[in-house]
Amino acid sequence: SQKSTDNSTQKQYTFGSFHFEPENYLLKNENQNITLTEREASLLKLFLDNPNTVLKREKILMELWGSDDYFLGRSLDVFISRLRKIIKEETHVRIENIPRVGFKLVVE
């Protein structure tokens, strides 16, 4: 795989009108700069690294918390809804629920 181990080039993401700097937990577009929490940033990065791919709840929980217990699942729902609120203006980007499986970041 082509994973870069050169940390001087910080990976940045652009989706819709947003520009995301995971290292700085910064999500911005022309109207706003949003500082995410570490977990929100990790979650968004995980989605952006796997666009249009179903991410299982267990995988997300293991990636972010290293555990997939029920209470963390409730926390995850809160993080998802926070991210949804932030990107709701974006017409071509959305986080879909895949019932009983997980979530998918849809980028058109």
Side-chain angles (χ1 to χ4, degrees):
S1 74
Q2 294 292 309
K3 284 266 188 272
S4 168
T5 51
D6 178 13
N7 291 330
S8 64
T9 55
Q10 313 233 341
K11 186 154 188 200
Q12 301 194 347
Y13 300 84
T14 302
F15 64 101
S17 65
F18 281 108
H19 186 69
F20 175 48
E21 301 172 14
E23 307 291 328
N24 303 323
Y25 313 140
L26 187 65
L27 182 62
K28 57 189 178 183
N29 61 16
E30 51 199 27
N31 305 320
Q32 54 188 352
N33 278 4
I34 302 158
T35 304
L36 302 176
T37 66
E38 187 176 353
R39 287 254 157 73
E40 287 166 342
S42 303
L43 178 58
L44 183 55
K45 182 175 187 303
L46 188 60
F47 277 128
L48 291 170
D49 282 336
N50 301 278
N52 302 312
T53 305
V54 176
L55 292 178
K56 293 194 166 143
R57 292 182 71 93
E58 301 80 54
K59 175 181 163 59
I60 298 172
L61 289 168
M62 290 307 291
E63 290 270 340
L64 265 62
W65 282 277
S67 164
D68 69 346
D69 79 29
Y70 173 80
F71 295 103
L72 292 176
R74 310 314 314 152
S75 300
L76 177 60
D77 292 333
V78 172
F79 284 111
I80 295 279
S81 57
R82 297 242 292 270
L83 286 181
R84 278 198 174 120
K85 273 199 193 76
I86 293 169
I87 65 172
K88 71 176 186 298
E89 305 300 318
E90 289 296 326
T91 41
H92 300 293
V93 183
R94 63 185 181 279
I95 300 172
E96 283 186 357
N97 268 351
I98 312 297
R100 293 181 299 285
V101 181
F103 302 94
K104 175 161 82 165
L105 179 74
V106 178
V107 182
E108 291 165 357

